[in-house]
Amino acid sequence: MRDTSIVAAFDFDGTISTTDTLRVFVRATVGTPRFLAGALLASPWLIGAALRVVDRGTAKAAFLRASLGARTRAQLEYDAQRFIAQRLPSLLRPEMLARLRQHRAMGHRVVLVSASPGLYLRLWAASVGFDAVLSTELAYDEVGRFVGQFAEPNCWGPEKMRRLEAWWAASPPRVLFVYGDSRGDKEMAERADYAWIRGQGKLMPLPDAAASQRAS
């Protein structure tokens, strides 16, 4: 029986994956020369983001605009399917996939919350059993071409928590587990009953933690 009052929210890049998958996806999609040219063209925004004078989402959009160009949604969806099949499996952490399966076996709702694009995350997440994906979404024009912008704010930091709250709406979880790896997961971790940030200790003993919270 599912216990939907318990939610496990997972970050993706650096938490479930071993690296920034967006960079790998773009490079695999457009090739190294175009990838490097895109990074060079977007360097004023990327440097500004590193210095914290430019919003991270603005810098990311500038890089994608310069590297992906006006690819169509159909082209990008094909690229996403190829990426999931050929590149993504080698970038995933087995212990985090095992933790995901453990939450699912206990009947918890599991949600992926990531700044990377839903373009490829939704396809992958559906294959491993996530209930929802909250991510950065690309914007397209009336003929289905990428316009170099996002349809919603970049799903990072406070935006992650805003998306989570909108997702569970009037039914917030009784227990919230959060798994992350960086500053971008800070707000989620602060809201959680049990938070794990990579590099700050071992994974919490899930069965004991959930049982103690139910008993309180």
Side-chain angles (χ1 to χ4, degrees):
M1 182 179 295
R2 297 203 70 190
D3 186 350
T4 57
S5 69
I6 298 180
V7 168
F10 289 80
D11 168 58
F12 188 70
D13 292 296
T15 301
I16 293 178
S17 74
T18 59
T19 189
D20 179 353
T21 58
L22 178 60
R23 286 188 301 220
V24 181
F25 169 73
V26 173
R27 194 165 191 164
T29 297
V30 303
T32 298
R34 180 67 180 266
F35 174 87
L36 295 176
L40 180 61
L41 288 171
S43 60
W45 291 272
L46 297 175
I47 293 171
L51 296 175
R52 298 186 178 181
V53 296
V54 173
D55 175 74
R56 296 172 66 97
T58 300
K60 183 193 294 186
F63 167 66
L64 293 179
R65 183 166 58 247
S67 55
L68 294 178
R71 296 175 83 87
T72 66
R73 184 195 297 266
Q75 288 174 317
L76 288 170
E77 288 176 348
Y78 171 79
D79 295 330
Q81 291 171 350
R82 184 176 59 179
F83 174 67
I84 291 168
Q86 299 178 3
R87 301 296 301 276
L88 189 57
S90 66
L91 304 178
L92 302 177
R93 299 182 188 272
E95 73 277 12
M96 297 309 296
L97 296 179
R99 176 51 61 102
L100 167 64
R101 290 192 294 270
Q102 190 177 8
H103 276 289
R104 292 188 61 225
M106 297 177 73
H108 304 163
R109 286 186 292 169
V110 289
V111 54
L112 190 63
V113 191
S114 175
S116 279
L119 174 69
Y120 57 83
L121 287 183
R122 278 191 302 275
L123 292 171
W124 173 79
S127 73
V128 295
F130 274 98
D131 293 295
V133 175
L134 312 176
S135 58
T136 301
E137 302 297 336
L138 306 186
Y140 301 91
D141 63 17
E142 63 277 2
V143 295
R145 291 190 178 277
F146 175 51
V147 296
Q149 297 178 348
F150 300 139
E152 297 182 82
N154 185 43
C155 191
W156 185 91
E159 180 67 10
K160 286 190 172 186
M161 196 61 239
R162 188 192 73 78
R163 298 279 193 95
L164 264 179
E165 290 175 340
W167 174 65
W168 66 51
S171 300
R174 179 171 55 84
V175 181
L176 175 63
F177 288 88
V178 165
Y179 300 90
D181 81 306
S182 70
R183 167 62 186 84
D185 306 308
K186 177 176 179 289
E187 288 76 12
M188 288 200 304
E190 289 176 344
R191 172 64 173 78
D193 298 286
Y194 301 100
W196 176 80
I197 302 297
R198 182 168 297 283
Q200 298 183 11
K202 297 180 180 179
L203 283 170
M204 71 285 277
L206 179 55
D208 294 341
S212 65
Q213 186 73 9
R214 285 196 294 271
S216 61

